[in-house]
Amino acid sequence: MKRLLILFLFITQVADAQEHVAFFDAGTTYEEADDSPYLNSTIVPFKMIEGMMLVEASINNQLGNYIIDTGAPTLVINEQPIQSTIQGRGISQGLLTAEVEVDAFEWSGIYKEKLSAFKVDISHLEEVSGEAIAGIIGYDILKEVELLMDYSSKAVQLSAVKSKELYQKKPIAVIPFTMQGHLPVIKVKIGKKKLRLALDTASESNILDASIYKKIASAGLKNTMAGELQGVDQEIKKVLISTISETTVKGLPFKDMKYLFTDLSHLKKESGIYIDGLLGYPFFKQEKMSINYKERKIYVWE
């Protein structure tokens, strides 16, 4: 029987600009994160493309560029599958996808054998970024390390969970999260409205469900404009894009973040994901953060 794979690779077009948001759900049962004592703390440089972190990793000894994506369930290979083994779905239409097994995956001290992966055609990201992209690194790999993201220095630090090296200093804030499938979800406040937003490091924009727009209209929405959203299914949808003056997370203010408003009701219907939206690059770039899946906490560092 075919399994359901929900895949959303959004492209919004505003004037001459393009924005990209990657998220999908494979409908898989996910295990808890394990300690990784074999991993030495490693600082890995990344290249920024369209708000996404691009790093070098290898599959079966073949080196390539991969997007770090907390919104993906596991490893994704940028390849058009010849025969679909999974019922895929984009923002509105069907997608051709297939599950495969990778003999060996290696990335900066992380080594995995016989790893399940999905073939998905994301070649359109190569076209808009001008970079060759081999695939996406998702939750099944990230859950075993503590990932510290520093956009100011364009580097991530991979450490064993709760490593002494990383915790020589105390974090300035701790943000708890819950898990919905592979997605870490945190509570935020916009105006008087409390929301549940998933964290997606491969999203160039923050996203909110369109139904929320009127509910937060008094929260300082500005620079509102019409835009277009295009997914991998190639359908173009009209959306609203607006800047919100302040988003509060565990008492921390995140100023002037841009949000894209689109209908997310299908997430609940098709995959049982109950979120109000996603937080991406505009959120992560404001602070140095590490994500700890084992403790289900985001740590904010000086």
Side-chain angles (χ1 to χ4, degrees), residues 74-124:
T74 186
L75 185 65
V76 172
I77 300 172
N78 181 16
E79 185 177 334
Q80 179 71 53
I82 298 174
Q83 185 176 9
S84 176
T85 57
I86 299 173
Q87 182 182 352
R89 191 158 187 81
I91 188 169
S92 61
Q93 298 182 19
L95 294 171
L96 188 64
T97 63
E99 189 171 11
V100 295
E101 186 176 79
V102 172
D103 290 334
F105 170 82
E106 188 171 6
W107 174 41
S108 300
I110 300 173
Y111 183 80
K112 285 183 171 289
E113 294 181 336
K114 306 300 181 182
L115 177 66
S116 292
F118 294 106
K119 287 184 178 181
V120 179
D121 182 9
I122 54 173
S123 58
H124 60 290

Side-chain angles (χ1 to χ4, degrees), residues 6 27 92 110 131 145 158 164 192 219 221 233 237:
I6 307 298
S92 61
I110 300 173
E131 295 283 345
V145 300
L158 304 176
K164 292 182 180 179
K192 296 181 179 180
L221 295 176
D233 51 32
K237 290 190 172 184

Side-chain angles (χ1 to χ4, degrees), residues 226-246:
E228 292 182 341
L229 178 150
Q230 184 179 28
V232 289
D233 51 32
Q234 302 303 312
E235 180 179 348
I236 296 176
K237 290 190 172 184
K238 301 295 183 181
V239 298
L240 281 180
I241 298 174
S242 188
T243 299
I244 295 177
S245 299
E246 182 172 299

Side-chain angles (χ1 to χ4, degrees), residues 24-289:
F24 69 89
D25 171 49
T28 306
T29 300
Y30 300 95
E31 298 177 356
E32 294 291 332
D34 298 321
D35 291 324
S36 300
Y38 58 86
L39 179 73
N40 294 320
S41 183
T42 307
I43 295 178
V44 182
F46 65 79
K47 183 181 295 185
M48 284 294 302
I49 59 160
E50 307 297 335
M52 295 178 282
M53 297 178 285
L54 199 65
V55 296
E56 285 192 338
S58 68
I59 289 180
N60 301 334
N61 296 318
Q62 185 172 350
L63 196 65
N65 295 321
Y66 290 81
I67 298 166
I68 300 176
D69 186 6
T70 56
T74 186
L75 185 65
V76 172
I77 300 172
N78 181 16
E79 185 177 334
Q80 179 71 53
I82 298 174
Q83 185 176 9
S84 176
T85 57
I86 299 173
Q87 182 182 352
R89 191 158 187 81
I91 188 169
S92 61
Q93 298 182 19
L95 294 171
L96 188 64
T97 63
E99 189 171 11
V100 295
E101 186 176 79
V102 172
D103 290 334
F105 170 82
E106 188 171 6
W107 174 41
S108 300
I110 300 173
Y111 183 80
K112 285 183 171 289
E113 294 181 336
K114 306 300 181 182
L115 177 66
S116 292
F118 294 106
K119 287 184 178 181
V120 179
D121 182 9
I122 54 173
S123 58
H124 60 290
L125 292 180
E126 295 180 304
E127 295 174 4
V128 297
S129 67
E131 295 283 345
I133 301 173
I136 296 172
I137 296 172
Y139 168 76
D140 271 356
I141 298 165
L142 300 174
K143 70 179 182 181
E144 296 185 3
V145 300
E146 188 151 1
L147 179 73
L148 175 65
M149 298 162 284
D150 187 350
Y151 284 84
S152 62
S153 62
K154 292 186 178 179
V156 294
Q157 181 176 336
L158 304 176
S159 304
V161 175
K162 209 72 176 181
S163 72
K164 292 182 180 179
E165 183 175 351
L166 181 58
Y167 287 82
Q168 290 178 355
K169 296 181 180 180
K170 290 185 177 181
I172 61 175
V174 180
I175 304 170
F177 64 82
T178 57
M179 295 294 296
Q180 288 206 33
H182 65 282
L183 290 172
V185 178
I186 64 173
K187 296 179 180 179
V188 312
K189 190 175 181 181
I190 298 177
K192 296 181 179 180
K193 187 70 176 177
K194 295 180 180 179
L195 305 170
R196 293 169 54 83
L197 303 183
L199 302 176
D200 188 351
T201 55
S203 300
E204 186 179 4
S205 296
N206 298 329
I207 293 181
L208 287 176
D209 188 84
S211 64
I212 295 172
Y213 184 83
K214 291 182 179 180
K215 298 177 183 178
I216 60 172
S218 61
L221 295 176
K222 55 186 179 182
N223 302 326
T224 300
M225 65 181 72
E228 292 182 341
L229 178 150
Q230 184 179 28
V232 289
D233 51 32
Q234 302 303 312
E235 180 179 348
I236 296 176
K237 290 190 172 184
K238 301 295 183 181
V239 298
L240 281 180
I241 298 174
S242 188
T243 299
I244 295 177
S245 299
E246 182 172 299
T247 304
T248 305
V249 182
K250 200 64 178 180
L252 289 176
F254 290 80
K255 301 289 188 179
D256 294 327
M257 292 200 299
K258 185 165 61 176
Y259 286 84
L260 181 155
F261 292 85
T262 188
D263 182 16
L264 299 178
S265 61
H266 53 283
L267 292 182
K268 300 176 185 179
K269 295 177 182 178
E270 298 178 3
S271 57
I273 295 176
Y274 293 88
I275 57 174
D276 298 303
L278 302 172
L279 287 173
Y281 173 67
F283 171 73
F284 290 107
K285 73 175 183 178
Q286 294 197 28
E287 300 284 354
K288 186 188 296 185
M289 303 182 198

